[in-house]
Amino acid sequence: MNIKNVSFTTISFIYLSFFLLTTLVCIAFGSVSYPIADVLATLGEGLQGKADLSSQLSAIILMVRVPRVLCVGLVGACLATSGAAMQGPLKNPLADGSTLGVSSGATLGAVFAIALGLQVPGFPLASTIFFAVLSAFLSLVFILTLAYQLDRSLATHTIILIGIIFGIFVQSLVSLLLVFANEKVKDIVFWTMGSLSGTNYTHVAILAVTLLLFGSLLLSNARELDAFAIGEDDARHIGVDVKKTRLTVLIASSALVGVCVAIGGSIGFVGLVVPHMMRIIVGPNHNRLLPSTIVFGSCFLMLSDLVARIIVRPIELPVGVVTSLIGSVVFVFIFYRGRKTS
Amino acid sequence: MIYAENVGVSYGDFRALRDLSFHVQKGQWLMVIGPNGAGKSTVVKAISQGVAYSGKIFYGGQDLATLNPKDIAKDIAILSQNRYVNYDFKVEDIVALGRYAHGKGLFPRLTEDDRAMIDRALDMTGMGQLRHKTILTLSGGEVQRCFLSRVFAQDPKLLILDEPTNHLDLLYQKQLFELIQDWLTEDRAVISVVHDLFLARAYGTHGLLLGEGKGVATGSIEEILEPDCVNPVYRMDVHQWMQSLLRCWQ
């Protein structure tokens, strides 16, 4: 498939159709499946505010499936976009939003909250998310401060190195917490495998605002990202403010990943595989690549979540297990194909 | 046009440049020459603001360090030596990046003027036919011409070339230097870092001779290639060797 030369309007139409179809299928199918027509009618009633939530169909579709599918889609979009944005500046095809160590930081905060049973007054249900976001933010500040102390130019390799070392350090702290939190091990392990069951409209709103804010920020840096993908020196030579762009991209990508990890746990491979797939289809230009990864990142994770929900019904697999299984196979295929072509 | 005053650059304890001063006027082609490790590429890095330096570099009377990167790129374009492009960008996409500094707004789009400038740059380097090819399928010479097109698309007043013909065969060297000679008019200037003193003498109007991070001589290209200047820096009889090389072709 090659849609590198297709017009923007046609591409938008294809994307929208694919996204709507995937969303509809993922809402209709699950542990209990419903006919598409009934789902559409229920969604219509919901949008008009006429839904009867006492009926099983309306309750499941509007209160369980829709928020979950939307959350999954938004998390997929955020993870894939941050991966696409990070691979350019870091000049590393294996980079994704978690390379900087921020997702490890978010994991530490969440595991800390689960292990010690920490509660935030006024937000009893959202304490894990709160601590994960806080820890992700503090990790980012810590990594960038340390990188700046070592290297005033904030060179990419310094940031990657500190990010990776920080990630390993945090993993050891998580393991330490697991040793001392015997009775919470199951909760912690399930959370670290990544799952979006039990998400609600508040999560949808948080994720939507995050994507709108930081996704737009990355989109507005599409040409700078192209320049970075060619080379940092070349980017400077054409007039890109290299330091400012690098900081903007790192902070936006880390924020996207931090919020996703806080809400859905660690979900691997989305940020790695989707951008690579999209580069093959739409090319490396970020003004096309980023919108494509937003759409297909969301579809990829929604379909993975559908598989996680139905493959061993009634047991539900953590979605992170499914994305890693599918993602690793797809990544090997892409790598093999790339090597064969070159 | 550009004036450097007591520029110094250090990499840790190593002083790559010390108290370097030079200037370039409109219409001049300044050849920066010197042996390996003399600090030639560091001069380019300092002008492009890619390295921290002491002293001042003025462009058009303004301190370069106080200008924003876009304003610098509107007037100064740099063609560097080696590059490794990972992703399969099309030639015209890379050339279009040369218009980055001229873009306006949060989501800038290419204007008609931009497109005309890109077409002209591709024509100048003979890359028009290859504009839809991806960079990964080009030869070394074609890649360098692609980036030269990007530099022309910037529509600069000052062109800086850092060993532009490294690893290129003779035909590309000739084409590249002739192209730049045609491009150089009386309101433009060129600075190029070169190893090949034949090229320096043939195309340069002025020269800057560097040795161990210091400016040894600056002036017309003929002056700085005098034996008194070059022989001590290169620690050999440069003229005798050049002439013996030429004799092989007679």
Side-chain angles (χ1 to χ4, degrees):
Chain A
M1 180 159 62
N2 191 329
I3 53 171
K4 289 173 193 172
N5 301 317
V6 177
S7 75
F8 181 75
T9 321
T10 318
I11 252 185
S12 306
F13 178 74
I14 296 171
Y15 284 179
L16 193 65
S17 312
F18 188 65
F19 174 74
L20 290 176
L21 192 68
T22 309
T23 310
L24 197 60
V25 167
C26 292
I27 291 172
F29 294 97
S31 51
V32 184
S33 297
Y34 300 102
I36 299 278
D38 292 355
V39 173
L40 281 172
T42 310
L43 288 175
E45 286 167 13
L47 283 174
Q48 293 165 36
K50 294 176 187 166
D52 172 20
L53 291 177
S54 61
S55 86
Q56 191 210 29
L57 172 71
S58 296
I60 288 184
I61 296 291
L62 295 176
M63 299 313 292
V64 180
R65 291 268 173 87
V66 171
R68 176 178 180 147
V69 168
L70 288 178
C71 266
V72 170
L74 285 163
V75 167
C78 292
L79 292 176
T81 312
S82 68
M86 292 284 268
Q87 282 160 14
L90 300 187
K91 287 211 94 178
N92 187 345
L94 281 176
D96 64 9
S98 61
T99 308
L100 205 58
V102 173
S103 65
S104 303
T107 306
L108 179 67
V111 169
F112 201 69
I114 298 170
L116 302 181
L118 297 176
Q119 294 290 330
V120 181
F123 300 95
L125 297 173
S127 51
T128 314
I129 295 174
F130 174 82
F131 282 103
V133 171
L134 181 69
S135 177
F137 178 72
L138 292 177
S139 304
L140 181 64
V141 172
F142 176 74
I143 291 163
L144 291 178
T145 310
L146 201 59
Y148 187 70
Q149 290 299 324
L150 281 174
D151 178 358
R152 294 283 150 140
S153 69
L154 277 176
T156 306
H157 57 265
T158 311
I159 298 173
I160 295 182
L161 206 62
I162 290 173
I164 290 172
I165 293 167
F166 180 77
I168 296 168
F169 174 70
V170 163
Q171 281 306 319
S172 64
L173 286 184
V174 170
S175 305
L176 202 66
L177 278 170
L178 277 170
V179 173
F180 289 106
N182 263 332
E183 69 282 9
K184 300 281 179 61
V185 166
K186 198 182 159 203
D187 290 346
I188 293 173
V189 170
F190 191 79
W191 188 86
T192 53
M193 283 193 288
S195 173
L196 286 146
S197 57
T199 42
N200 55 40
Y201 286 107
T202 310
H203 298 132
V204 174
I206 294 170
L207 285 164
V209 170
T210 307
L211 181 62
L212 193 70
L213 216 62
F214 296 105
S216 310
L217 195 58
L218 290 177
L219 271 172
S220 69
N221 279 280
R223 290 188 84 191
E224 287 83 350
L225 285 168
D226 286 346
F228 262 93
I230 286 163
E232 216 166 281
D233 283 338
D234 275 294
R236 183 182 304 107
H237 297 165
I238 62 164
V240 174
D241 189 335
V242 169
K243 211 161 156 182
K244 186 178 140 200
T245 305
R246 198 193 291 127
L247 267 183
T248 308
V249 171
L250 292 180
I251 290 173
S253 302
S254 301
L256 287 170
V257 171
V259 173
C260 289
V261 174
I263 291 177
S266 311
I267 301 173
F269 274 96
V270 183
L272 192 60
V273 171
V274 176
H276 281 287
M277 283 164 62
M278 288 301 106
R279 265 193 207 95
I280 292 171
I281 297 170
V282 300
N285 277 19
H286 287 81
N287 59 4
R288 279 195 171 208
L289 181 65
L290 292 177
S292 306
T293 48
I294 288 177
V295 176
F296 285 90
S298 68
C299 294
F300 177 77
L301 199 58
M302 282 195 282
L303 291 171
S304 299
D305 185 58
L306 180 64
V307 172
R309 280 186 281 142
I310 63 173
I311 196 158
V312 283
R313 264 192 299 214
I315 298 169
E316 186 181 313
L317 294 175
V319 68
V321 173
V322 178
T323 56
S324 297
L325 277 173
I326 300 174
S328 50
V329 173
V330 172
F331 194 74
V332 168
F333 171 74
I334 292 170
F335 188 66
Y336 181 75
R337 185 185 173 276
R339 273 295 163 105
K340 230 177 148 185
T341 314
S342 64
Chain B
M1 194 171 207
I2 194 160
Y3 171 56
E5 191 181 74
N6 301 325
V7 173
V9 175
S10 295
Y11 298 116
D13 292 334
F14 175 67
R15 293 177 73 187
L17 278 184
R18 275 176 282 180
D19 293 329
L20 179 69
S21 300
F22 66 91
H23 66 271
V24 182
Q25 309 284 7
K26 287 178 181 175
Q28 292 182 351
W29 186 336
L30 180 85
M31 294 289 182
V32 183
I33 58 170
N36 285 336
K40 302 186 296 293
S41 292
T42 307
V43 175
V44 176
K45 274 194 169 175
I47 298 173
S48 72
Q49 307 296 298
V51 68
Y53 58 87
S54 57
K56 301 261 186 213
I57 303 174
F58 297 96
Y59 174 80
Q62 286 181 292
D63 184 354
L64 268 184
T66 62
L67 296 175
N68 83 46
K70 274 191 175 180
D71 288 336
I72 295 175
K74 278 178 191 165
D75 273 16
I76 303 176
I78 298 168
L79 181 70
S80 50
Q81 34 180 322
N82 302 321
R83 55 176 57 76
Y84 176 66
V85 181
N86 244 344
Y87 303 111
D88 57 345
F89 283 95
K90 281 187 201 165
V91 168
E92 63 179 1
D93 294 335
I94 288 176
V95 179
L97 282 174
R99 302 303 298 163
Y100 170 81
H102 301 267
K104 291 188 181 79
L106 197 58
F107 296 94
R109 296 250 155 219
L110 289 178
T111 62
E112 283 307 310
D113 283 351
D114 290 334
R115 288 186 198 286
M117 196 59 83
I118 292 164
D119 291 343
R120 214 184 72 185
L122 284 164
D123 285 344
M124 281 170 76
T125 55
M127 288 296 285
Q129 301 246 314
L130 301 176
R131 65 187 300 159
H132 298 300
K133 289 251 181 196
T134 70
I135 189 92
L136 300 180
T137 61
L138 302 182
S139 69
E142 288 166 344
V143 170
Q144 194 67 328
R145 269 157 65 202
C146 167
F147 280 91
L148 183 65
S149 313
R150 193 213 69 201
V151 158
F152 286 146
Q154 266 178 262
D155 194 22
K157 301 273 188 300
L158 174 65
L159 182 54
I160 300 175
L161 311 151
D162 186 6
E163 299 188 33
T165 53
N166 247 9
H167 314 301
L168 294 190
D169 62 36
L170 285 177
L171 177 66
Y172 284 123
Q173 290 192 26
K174 181 173 177 284
Q175 286 177 345
L176 192 113
F177 275 85
E178 284 178 353
L179 256 173
I180 291 159
Q181 199 169 40
D182 289 344
W183 176 84
L184 180 61
T185 52
E186 57 189 23
D187 59 341
R188 292 170 170 167
V190 180
I191 299 176
S192 54
V193 171
V194 284
H195 259 301
D196 190 331
L197 298 183
F198 280 120
L199 288 172
R201 176 137 217 168
Y203 291 95
T205 61
H206 290 73
L208 169 65
L209 177 63
L210 297 177
E212 295 176 348
K214 286 188 285 195
V216 177
T218 179
S220 75
I221 193 73
E222 291 81 12
E223 281 167 12
I224 72 148
L225 287 177
E226 284 294 321
D228 293 351
C229 278
V230 283
N231 289 357
V233 175
Y234 282 89
R235 285 177 292 167
M236 63 183 284
D237 190 335
V238 175
H239 279 240
Q240 190 196 35
W241 190 57
M242 291 287 161
Q243 278 156 7
S244 70
L245 285 177
L246 272 177
R247 269 198 297 277
C248 299
W249 293 93
Q250 285 160 0

